Amino acid sequence: MKKIPFILMFVISGCSLTKNSPKKVIPSLIIQDNYLPAKDNAAFTIMSADLKKDNLTLIVQYGGGCKEHEFKLFTSGLFQKKSPPRLKLFLEHNFNEDFCKKLVMDTLIFNVTNGRYPGEESKYKVEFELDKFNEIIQ
């Protein structure tokens, strides 16, 4: 019986692992009636925001580096009466008690499909106003 070189076995098993790996789930915008921004929101800076189709990509910067941080995107669901309609968004940051001092830059992606204008006017383009970010996102 011939011996299969270790590297070949590693490559073969590596291929099968990537084939079966699950796709990353993109979190959705959370609509919460009477939403109020969290008072204990951990510090972060939004460096950039980009909307492509129904995905909002945010580049954020924060202190930490030792534990995983969690971000959630909220809205009250109330549209501002403008043309086009505008929806205010709030990014919440849970730092999971990560007191490390490294400056971390992270890319966050949120599906904002449920932030579309409701009813027959659902095809209206909606602008997003993101708290702690100075630009309107279109």
Side-chain angles (χ1 to χ4, degrees), residues 15-73:
C15 289
S16 65
L17 287 175
T18 56
K19 199 175 202 180
N20 295 329
S21 4
K23 291 185 178 182
K24 186 175 180 180
V25 176
I26 298 175
S28 293
L29 170 65
I30 300 167
I31 299 174
Q32 184 176 347
D33 291 341
N34 302 315
Y35 173 80
L36 295 173
K39 292 182 180 179
D40 61 346
N41 206 14
F44 64 91
T45 302
I46 301 170
M47 306 301 289
S48 69
D50 184 46
L51 183 64
K52 292 231 185 330
K53 295 189 180 182
D54 288 325
N55 288 333
L56 177 62
T57 302
L58 304 174
I59 307 294
V60 296
Q61 192 174 44
Y62 53 89
C66 294
K67 295 183 180 179
E68 186 150 345
H69 292 229
E70 299 170 16
F71 289 87
K72 293 181 181 178
L73 190 63

Side-chain angles (χ1 to χ4, degrees), residues 90-101:
F90 299 89
L91 187 62
E92 286 193 4
H93 175 206
N94 179 351
F95 77 115
N96 287 319
E97 298 188 19
D98 181 359
F99 296 106
C100 290
K101 304 283 185 205

Side-chain angles (χ1 to χ4, degrees), residues 1-5 8-9:
M1 181 172 159
K2 290 186 178 182
K3 294 183 180 179
I4 299 174
L8 183 58
M9 286 177 42

Side-chain angles (χ1 to χ4, degrees), residues 79 116-124:
F79 288 88
R116 289 184 180 161
Y117 202 76
E120 293 178 14
E121 300 85 10
S122 63
K123 294 185 184 194
Y124 282 177

